[in-house]
Amino acid sequence: KIEPFYKGGKVQVSLLLCYIFCTCGSRVNVLEISTGKIVHSVEHDDQEDITSFALSCDDELLVTASRALLLKQWDWRQAECTRSWRAIHTVPVASMTFDSTSTLLATGGCDGTIKLWDVVKQYCTHNLKGSSGVVHLVQFHPDISRLQLFSSSLDCGIRMWDLRSSQCVCVLQSHYSTVTSLSFSSDGGTMVSSGRDKICTVWNLKGRKAERTVPVYEAVESVVVLPQNKTFFEIGVTSKDLHFITAGSKGVLRVWEASTARCVYTQTLTAVSEEEEEEKDDDPRSLMYLLHMPASSRLATVTAEHNILLYQLPGLTTQQQFVGYNDEVLDVKFVGKDDSHIVVATNSCQLKVFELLTNSCQILYGHTDTVLSLDVFKKGFLFASCAKDRSVRVWQMDSDSGQVHCVAQGSSHTNAVGTISCSRLKVSFVVSGSQDCTVKVWDLPADLSTTEADIHQLTPRATEKAHDKDVNSVAVSPNDKLLASGSQDRTAKLWSLAGEGNVGLLGVFRGHRRGVWAVCFSPVDQVLATSSADGTTKLWSLQDFSCLKTFEGHDASVLKVVFVSRGTQLLTSGSDGLVKLWTIKTNECVKTLDAHQDKVWGLHGSRKDDKMVTGSADSNIAVWLDVTDVELAEEQAKQEDQILKQQELSNLLHEKKYLKALGLAISLDQPHTVLTVIKGNFHPRGQKLHQSLLRYCVVWNTNARNCQDAQAVLQVLLTHVPPEELLQYQGARAHLEGLIPYTERHMQRIGRLLQASMFLNYMWQKMRVAGAPSR
């Protein structure tokens, strides 16, 4: 499963291990670089969004800050919170960092203060005041013997703090916009700052003054000083002078020589159109972070589209790319040798090609608007795409390296191109269908080998006004002689491709009550399958255009249909998030996969018929093995899971961890075990459980979303535990006092809601149909 793991915010790379830490709402996810998989994830109990986090320099400690003003320290390998404390800040923490010894933690708040914490002795050591507005940047000097901290806030100055005296010793003024990052030379005597005012400043820290201002002509989000004890000839570094790399709004890495303020190297990206070359405020290629991994001589960049790219120094060669967030998945297909990759069209003008073994991703640039549909030629190394930019493109994957580049493009439609289909017998043509109600046949050149700068230009061999409304789907028959099209006008049509000239209409399939979303030819029979927004899938005879079978089972639109099991079964996907497997002979649904939480737009079976891939509007992509045996595999997994849970329950009862045991016993549906746990705990020996529940209720009750659950648990406690006993619990009085104000607030809110509903009811009772006699 490929699911979102990064939705914006801070990213940090472990220095000693091969992990990437990134925020995703209320979680911090830990991505293993070698496999591309999320191996750990930590989340605050209150499910509040995490505003900042920091990983210690020895990779041992992870500290997170949430909107609830709580700091939590984690054993991130076990996803276990080892300590939590109040941040003291009056508003959320905006930035945080560890010193090089991993003992001091600095937190910068939206309240303009900076707190320093000794994470070993567990107390606040400094409270630094004087910043104006949000402290969005805090960073220790790498030489801890200096005991210096640098910070920046809304006034665009860089404050230098002496931690011995807790005083701001100077404010370095140079930038006129937000200071985004700081980087230090290896000797610690020089610092480079970057800003969104399109300059970088080189600072002499001994003299506390700016040595040089370097105009970089882009809003810079991150800067990294290159080590001076290594050679970087490949990226233009020819002297021992200080050099630094910038990342910003132009989306390219650039190397600058500090002494001359000269750009000595600019990274080359995939060729883009002139329209894309113009700098935009919301350019998806713009870089938000640049991270240095000195232990492995690598750099990591994070783009505005939440993609993470790893580069190897000294040549800045791309090693891996990870996609943090896919947005809505519109189509997905298997490509490559033995279906080793998938190509994905998301709600974006870029295509993404994932290697299934590592989850590493190539990002393909070319289209200038959202890509809507994909199809693959028989051997799997060539595929086609179409988009809202009214164009079609053909892409080729190198069979050895797996690299993909565009080899042909055509643009002749007058509206968005919503569907595309490739020839089946050999690589000879593609067919496209558009919202301009036409289908076009594009012949491909015999030799598609080309360079990135010289792409074949396609012209349509035939154009036909096929339907009265949008063409939603086209499909080419296995012998390349027939074409099927499905439209929003509720019909599907069969066309002849045998002639050299125009496409010839052979017949019309009528019967769907709403628009036709997908059409597909059987690989073995003279049959066409169609799926529709009326919730049905139909099989049609190609001989007399009659409906042979109708499959009903989806609660909403059926978006895709494909033949599997050598044409004996159908797979359908719908707006209800379900994927269904149908046996054609018996007309029965034999499997239902609760695959996704939203519309399943992408559905594709592998060439060997042993895998299936689905993509959904819920941003998730799932690859399924042995689709016809899914239920058996799920049953075996459930049995194994039951055995493991039984053993875990036994261990929890033995260790007297009754609270966890109670939840597990309920999930296993074991009434007798649940009764045993309850009898063992609503007893003097269960005092610890009651104290924990009371403390949890106080936390839950602070949030309107959880208040009903808190009150329900509280009612059970007050019913079963005498008040005298409850008051004897440690901290009980403080907990009860904490419950009262929030409970009163919830009651007031419910009262207002009840009053409004009574007024609505009164209005309803007094209303009458216009023109009806009053009585």
Side-chain angles (χ1 to χ4, degrees):
K1 193 172 187 179
I2 300 173
E3 54 189 334
F5 64 84
Y6 172 60
K7 295 182 179 179
K10 185 175 180 179
V11 173
Q12 191 171 345
V13 181
S14 62
L15 296 180
L16 304 178
L17 302 173
C18 296
Y19 298 102
I20 297 174
F21 293 72
C22 42
T23 51
C24 187
S26 61
R27 301 193 308 275
V28 171
N29 289 321
V30 185
L31 179 79
E32 188 174 38
I33 293 174
S34 60
T35 63
K37 290 181 168 49
I38 299 299
V39 291
H40 306 289
S41 183
V42 302
E43 183 173 15
H44 280 232
D45 297 334
D46 52 19
Q47 295 187 339
E48 292 281 358
D49 282 354
I50 289 175
T51 57
S52 188
F53 74 89
L55 178 71
S56 61
C57 295
D58 58 8
D59 291 347
E60 292 299 319
L61 299 178
L62 175 68
V63 176
T64 59
S66 77
R67 291 191 180 278
L69 308 183
L70 274 180
L71 293 174
K72 285 182 178 284
Q73 184 174 309
W74 302 85
D75 177 354
W76 57 268
R77 293 178 180 85
Q78 304 299 325
E80 182 180 347
C81 177
T82 56
R83 178 184 166 229
S84 64
W85 69 97
R86 284 285 171 188
I88 306 179
H89 293 280
T90 56
V91 284
V93 172
S95 57
M96 59 192 338
T97 186
F98 274 95
D99 75 333
S100 57
T101 66
S102 301
T103 57
L104 278 180
L105 173 72
T107 58
C110 296
D111 55 5
T113 66
I114 303 168
K115 319 286 185 189
L116 267 68
W117 309 85
D118 187 320
V119 294
V120 177
K121 297 180 181 178
Q122 303 184 359
Y123 70 98
C124 180
T125 62
H126 298 72
N127 184 14
L128 308 178
K129 298 179 180 180
S131 302
S132 58
V134 177
V135 182
H136 61 267
L137 176 64
V138 285
Q139 193 162 338
F140 286 96
H141 192 284
D143 182 0
I144 193 58
S145 63
R146 298 193 184 201
L147 283 176
Q148 289 179 341
L149 177 75
F150 295 84
S151 70
S152 185
S153 59
L154 292 180
D155 60 5
C156 307
I158 302 169
R159 282 178 164 74
M160 180 192 293
W161 302 87
D162 180 5
L163 300 184
R164 291 183 177 88
S165 63
S166 298
Q167 297 297 316
C168 175
V169 293
C170 73
V171 180
L172 304 176
Q173 297 284 4
S174 172
H175 293 277
Y176 294 94
S177 186
T178 305
V179 178
T180 52
S181 73
L182 306 174
S183 185
F184 298 86
S185 62
S186 51
D187 62 5
T190 304
M191 178 180 77
V192 179
S193 62
S194 65
R196 294 188 184 132
D197 52 3
K198 304 186 179 184
I199 64 168
C200 288
T201 304
V202 182
W203 301 92
N204 181 332
L205 293 182
K206 188 175 181 180
R208 299 175 185 172
K209 62 180 181 180
E211 283 192 340
R212 180 174 287 276
T213 298
V214 181
V216 294
Y217 311 109
E218 67 169 331
V220 180
E221 295 294 333
S222 282
V223 62
V224 166
V225 172
L226 286 170
Q228 291 174 276
N229 57 351
K230 295 183 179 179
T231 56
F232 299 97
F233 294 121
E234 293 93 330
I235 53 175
V237 178
T238 56
S239 68
K240 291 293 184 181
D241 293 339
L242 186 76
H243 290 74
F244 57 88
I245 303 179
T246 58
S249 57
K250 290 188 177 179
V252 294
L253 297 178
R254 296 193 290 172
V255 182
W256 301 82
E257 188 175 51
S259 59
T260 61
R262 184 170 57 94
C263 179
V264 296
Y265 176 83
T266 300
Q267 183 186 24
T268 304
L269 287 182
T270 310
V272 294
S273 66
E274 292 180 3
E275 295 176 17
E276 285 187 297
E277 283 180 354
E278 295 178 9
E279 188 178 334
K280 304 174 187 174
D281 293 336
D282 58 347
D283 188 350
R285 290 196 184 197
S286 62
L287 302 176
M288 309 308 292
Y289 292 95
L290 173 63
L291 309 167
H292 186 209
M293 296 178 278
S296 56
S297 293
R298 285 188 290 183
L299 293 173
T301 61
V302 183
T303 71
E305 278 214 330
H306 310 127
N307 303 324
I308 302 174
L309 293 85
L310 300 182
Y311 299 98
Q312 184 66 55
L313 289 171
L316 280 184
T317 52
T318 306
Q319 279 195 320
Q320 288 171 283
Q321 298 185 64
F322 300 105
V323 174
Y325 183 61
N326 278 315
D327 206 346
E328 187 172 351
V329 178
L330 302 180
D331 206 357
V332 58
K333 292 286 189 289
F334 284 108
V335 292
K337 185 179 180 182
D338 299 325
D339 300 318
S340 57
H341 295 67
I342 55 173
V343 57
V344 184
T346 62
N347 196 13
S348 162
C349 55
Q350 290 93 44
L351 286 170
K352 300 179 175 78
V353 180
F354 290 90
E355 184 182 11
L356 293 176
L357 191 63
T358 64
N359 277 3
S360 184
C361 177
Q362 290 178 64
I363 300 168
L364 308 182
Y365 297 90
H367 286 291
T368 57
D369 206 341
T370 305
V371 180
L372 297 174
S373 182
L374 303 163
D375 198 24
V376 185
F377 287 91
K378 188 174 182 180
K379 292 185 178 180
F381 291 105
L382 208 66
F383 61 91
S385 63
C386 61
K388 282 185 179 180
D389 62 7
R390 308 175 186 181
S391 74
V392 299
R393 284 179 178 260
V394 180
W395 309 80
Q396 188 166 42
M397 172 181 279
D398 187 277
S399 57
D400 297 322
S401 67
Q403 293 297 308
V404 179
H405 65 279
C406 182
V407 292
Q409 67 172 342
S411 182
S412 178
H413 282 285
T414 59
N415 209 331
V417 188
T419 177
I420 196 162
S421 183
C422 301
S423 55
R424 299 301 172 207
L425 289 178
K426 57 182 181 179
V427 179
S428 55
F429 63 89
V430 295
V431 180
S432 61
S434 166
Q435 290 178 14
D436 62 11
C437 307
T438 67
V439 294
K440 291 179 184 285
V441 183
W442 311 75
D443 283 329
L444 301 181
D447 182 15
L448 279 171
S449 58
T450 182
T451 63
E452 287 188 8
D454 183 26
I455 297 173
H456 293 286
Q457 298 298 317
L458 304 178
T459 54
R461 178 228 301 176
T463 300
E464 185 71 31
K465 185 182 184 304
H467 292 272
D468 296 329
K469 292 185 178 179
D470 298 359
V471 180
N472 290 333
S473 178
V474 291
V476 177
S477 65
N479 62 3
D480 284 353
K481 292 183 179 179
L482 299 173
L483 168 70
S485 62
S487 168
Q488 205 64 30
D489 65 8
R490 300 182 291 182
T491 68
K493 294 185 179 182
L494 187 67
W495 308 83
S496 170
L497 291 173
E500 293 294 324
N502 291 333
V503 177
L505 179 64
L506 298 176
V508 181
F509 305 96
R510 291 186 173 90
H512 282 295
R513 298 187 305 277
R514 297 186 69 180
V516 178
W517 277 117
V519 293
C520 183
F521 283 99
S522 167
V524 292
D525 297 317
Q526 297 289 305
V527 170
L528 179 76
T530 61
S531 64
S532 166
D534 62 13
T536 67
T537 301
K538 293 179 181 287
L539 290 185
W540 307 84
S541 167
L542 299 185
Q543 309 293 333
D544 57 8
F545 311 107
S546 63
C547 180
L548 303 174
K549 289 178 182 288
T550 300
F551 302 87
E552 295 181 299
H554 286 278
D555 294 331
S557 300
V558 186
L559 302 174
K560 283 287 171 71
V561 57
V562 294
F563 284 91
V564 292
S565 306
R566 297 176 183 174
T568 61
Q569 291 182 306
L570 286 174
L571 274 171
T572 60
S573 65
S575 297
D576 50 11
L578 302 179
V579 175
K580 290 180 178 285
L581 179 68
W582 308 82
T583 299
I584 294 175
K585 187 175 182 180
T586 61
N587 213 37
E588 290 179 348
C589 175
V590 292
K591 300 281 187 298
T592 297
L593 308 178
D594 192 1
H596 295 277
Q597 304 299 315
D598 207 340
K599 304 179 191 71
V600 183
W601 286 111
L603 176 67
H604 190 224
S606 64
R607 290 186 294 279
K608 291 184 178 179
D609 223 14
D610 59 341
K611 285 186 292 192
M612 173 185 78
V613 62
T614 56
S616 167
D618 64 6
S619 306
N620 291 326
I621 302 162
V623 179
W624 307 77
L625 292 174
D626 303 321
V627 177
T628 52
D629 293 325
V630 167
E631 274 193 351
L632 178 62
E634 285 183 346
E635 192 60 35
Q636 290 174 342
K638 283 180 181 177
Q639 290 175 1
E640 292 172 4
D641 191 46
Q642 287 279 82
I643 294 170
L644 290 172
K645 284 184 175 180
Q646 291 278 7
Q647 183 61 48
E648 185 183 357
L649 178 60
S650 177
N651 294 340
L652 290 171
L653 289 172
H654 180 72
E655 295 166 7
K656 298 183 179 179
K657 295 181 178 178
Y658 294 113
L659 188 61
K660 289 185 178 180
L662 181 63
L664 191 56
I666 292 171
S667 70
L668 288 170
D669 196 18
Q670 296 185 354
H672 180 71
T673 309
V674 173
L675 185 62
T676 304
V677 174
I678 290 174
K679 282 183 175 180
N681 279 279
F682 286 103
H683 190 270
R685 290 179 301 173
Q687 183 176 342
K688 188 175 180 182
L689 173 64
H690 303 157
Q691 289 178 345
S692 299
L693 284 172
L694 185 59
R695 191 172 72 253
Y696 296 161
C697 282
V698 177
V699 177
W700 298 336
N701 199 49
T702 59
N703 192 315
R705 288 178 296 179
N706 307 324
C707 68
Q708 289 188 351
D709 302 309
Q711 295 293 330
V713 174
L714 191 62
Q715 183 182 8
V716 173
L717 277 175
L718 295 174
T719 304
H720 290 83
V721 183
E724 303 80 23
E725 182 182 332
L726 199 64
L727 289 170
Q728 290 176 4
Y729 294 164
Q730 183 179 359
R733 291 181 184 275
H735 293 326
L736 292 171
E737 288 174 1
L739 281 165
I740 291 169
Y742 282 99
T743 303
E744 289 176 345
R745 190 183 303 172
H746 298 321
M747 285 298 294
Q748 290 168 3
R749 190 184 72 255
I750 293 169
R752 290 193 299 270
L753 182 64
L754 181 61
Q755 185 179 10
S757 66
M758 291 174 69
F759 178 72
L760 186 64
N761 186 53
Y762 171 79
M763 291 291 293
W764 172 251
Q765 295 295 334
K766 294 297 180 183
M767 288 171 68
R768 61 185 177 85
V769 178
S774 59
R775 59 178 181 178

